[in-house]
Amino acid sequence: SDETTYLKEHFMDGEDIVLFKRNELDDLPLKIQYLLENELERERIAKAGRQKALVGHTWRRRAEQLLEMFYD
């Protein structure tokens, strides 16, 4: 995904997401090639990202966070 402040605060590049910088697109083909050639690494990152998303970034979790803001 392209690097944003939100993603950098909530995910770790290379651990549970793979980020690229729009102003450094020359690096993107190398990242893609690496991930295509390293299936275990690609699957590890995808699994970790999915788990993190399910725990903290679902619509249900967003609704809970909004309720917490209004009722705490």
Side-chain angles (χ1 to χ4, degrees), residues 47-70:
K47 184 177 179 179
R50 182 177 191 278
Q51 183 60 34
K52 185 174 270 190
L54 289 173
V55 169
H57 301 281
T58 62
W59 284 110
R60 177 184 210 75
R61 184 63 188 130
R62 290 290 178 259
E64 291 168 351
Q65 290 168 334
L66 286 171
L67 291 172
E68 289 168 7
M69 288 182 350
F70 287 111

Side-chain angles (χ1 to χ4, degrees), residues 19-55:
L19 299 172
F20 69 90
K21 296 179 183 179
R22 288 183 186 187
N23 61 347
E24 297 178 12
L25 291 178
D26 291 343
D27 296 339
L28 188 55
L30 292 175
K31 284 188 174 194
I32 292 169
Q33 182 178 356
Y34 173 79
L35 292 169
L36 288 174
E37 292 174 352
N38 294 278
E39 183 176 357
L40 293 176
E41 179 73 356
R42 185 176 70 240
E43 289 178 358
R44 181 192 64 77
I45 294 169
K47 184 177 179 179
R50 182 177 191 278
Q51 183 60 34
K52 185 174 270 190
L54 289 173
V55 169

Side-chain angles (χ1 to χ4, degrees), residues 10-24:
H10 293 90
F11 294 86
M12 290 187 59
D13 189 20
E15 293 299 317
D16 46 31
I17 196 168
V18 177
L19 299 172
F20 69 90
K21 296 179 183 179
R22 288 183 186 187
N23 61 347
E24 297 178 12

